[in-house]
Every structure is written in structure tokens, then in C-alpha cells.
Amino acid sequence: MPTAVIFDMDGVIVDSELHWKSLEGFFLRSLIPTWSAADQGRIIGLSLPNAYALLKQEYGLQKDEQEFIAQYHDMATQIYRDKAQLLPGFSQTLAYLHEQNIPVAVASSSHRSWIEIVLDKFDLHGAFRVVVSADEVGGQGKPAPDIYLYTAGKLGVKPEECTVIEDSRNGVLSAKSAGMFCIGLRNGFNEEQDLSAADVVIEGFAGWTTDDGRPTGGA
């Protein structure tokens, strides 16, 4: 059993990535006419400042950064408040980890206010010992290791004692760069993501747990 488990949020706790694909895709195509699903895959897991920097540098984005960020906040509110649902099996997995007194955390490149919407909506305040956003590491999101190293420090455990659950290439690379064991999660809508750097890849939480939420392997 792991000493601590760290969950990514988007595509791991909630199905928000599914909704981001459509809403964000439409928004970015309005700014970058050549934008494609493959391009969108590149920004999954990035913090908002890092995504803006990549779009400006590599795609010639002209939109003002503050206006860009404001529109993202509007989309995020719609997605997390009105659309997102918990992934099947997450609640059972979380309950089992609590029963085993294994500390759990969230480490997400999403803005802190977006995480708070999810915690409020699903009554998850108090469910995690530590909740970390990219805001707390200077906006340095994944694939840099900073967010996971910071989370391990807040948990009071060594990086190599942590198991991370991630659904994106950027997230997996972040966890592995931090020296952590990483489970790549197939959630039904991330088949285009390269999770090959993960230590193990599972098909949903059912691939890691039994019906009652017990981890059966990989961690």
C-alpha cells in the first residue's frame, strides 16, 4: 500500500476534461482557425498561464492575457458548477483510502477557485489532507514536477512514497519527474493521451479497485 495517494482533479476526480474538450475547443478555434483536437491534447494538464504562454509562442495567439483568463474563468464556472460529475469508482476508492488511514491529496494545475467549486459541489471539503493548485507554486503547472514535490512536502512524506493518479501525458510526466509512482488512468475520453511513462495504466478505477473500493494492484 502507498504511504500517500495524490489525485489529479480534471479527468480523475471529475469528468471535466470531457466538457473542456467541447467548450474549450470551440473557444480556441475562434481564436486560432487551424486549431485541432491534437493541438488541444497538448494543453491538457497545463496551468492557465502556461497554456497561454504556449498558445502565444507557438500558435501566434493575439488575445490579451487578462481577457483570455477571464473568459477561461467563465467557462470553468459553467463546467465545474453545471456539468462536471464525479468519475465512477472515485468515491469508493476515496472511502477505502480513508478507512486505511492513507492520507490523500489533490494536486491540480487548475486555478484554486475552480478546485473550490468542485469541493463545494461534491461536499469534498475535509476529504483531502492537502489541496494544491498551480497558484501555490507560482503558476508552474505540469509537466514540471513542482506541484507534486510541493504536495509531498505538505503531506510530510517523501516523493518516492507517493502514488499519483493522472489522466494526461503532462500529468504523468510531472509525477514521474517528481520521483513518484504514477498510475495512468483511462477514463473513457482520454484515449489520445500518451500515458506510456506511467508505471501502470488502468481502465477506470475499476482497473485498480474491487467493487468495494479496495485497491487490487498497481499501487
Side-chain angles (χ1 to χ4, degrees):
M1 296 295 291
T3 299
V5 173
I6 307 174
F7 293 89
D8 176 39
M9 183 178 79
D10 295 284
V12 172
I13 296 176
V14 289
D15 63 359
S16 48
E17 291 291 14
L18 177 63
H19 306 293
W20 275 115
K21 281 186 176 182
S22 57
L23 199 59
E24 180 184 46
F26 179 80
F27 172 62
L28 292 175
R29 279 193 297 274
S30 74
L31 302 178
I32 305 168
T34 60
W35 191 255
S36 69
D39 295 314
Q40 198 160 340
R42 295 186 64 195
I43 65 173
I44 292 177
L46 297 181
S47 67
L48 195 49
N50 287 353
Y52 179 82
L54 183 147
L55 294 172
K56 184 174 183 179
Q57 179 178 347
E58 298 192 24
Y59 294 87
L61 180 66
Q62 298 297 311
K63 196 171 190 66
D64 174 75
E65 183 173 7
Q66 293 307 309
E67 184 180 353
F68 177 86
I69 289 174
Q71 289 184 269
Y72 257 85
H73 281 304
D74 289 342
M75 287 191 290
T77 299
Q78 181 180 349
I79 288 170
Y80 296 116
R81 186 187 63 197
D82 302 331
K83 297 179 180 294
Q85 297 298 321
L86 293 175
L87 257 68
F90 167 74
S91 295
Q92 294 92 330
T93 301
L94 182 66
Y96 177 74
L97 294 171
H98 284 167
E99 290 170 8
Q100 299 302 308
N101 294 315
I102 296 172
V104 291
V106 176
S108 172
S109 290
S110 289
H111 195 276
R112 180 73 189 211
S113 65
W114 305 357
I115 300 172
E116 291 297 325
I117 294 173
V118 170
L119 298 180
D120 287 340
K121 180 176 180 177
F122 299 107
D123 194 24
L124 290 172
H125 284 288
F128 303 99
R129 185 172 298 184
V130 172
V131 175
V132 175
S133 74
D135 304 337
E136 288 147 270
V137 288
Q140 184 63 47
K142 305 163 188 178
D146 305 49
I147 193 166
Y148 279 121
L149 292 173
Y150 181 78
T151 302
K154 294 281 284 184
L155 285 168
V157 299
K158 298 176 181 178
E160 60 268 25
E161 296 175 326
C162 297
T163 289
V164 171
I165 305 177
E166 272 285 358
D167 72 310
S168 72
R169 176 180 182 273
N170 286 324
V172 169
L173 293 177
S174 176
K176 293 310 299 175
S177 294
M180 299 179 178
F181 187 94
C182 184
I183 297 174
L185 179 71
R186 291 293 180 199
N187 52 29
F189 44 87
N190 68 338
E191 291 305 313
E192 81 287 354
Q193 287 294 308
D194 179 6
L195 306 182
S196 60
D199 295 284
V200 65
V201 177
I202 60 175
E203 296 292 333
F205 283 103
W208 186 37
T209 64
T210 61
D211 291 340
D212 64 0
R214 272 191 306 113
T216 58

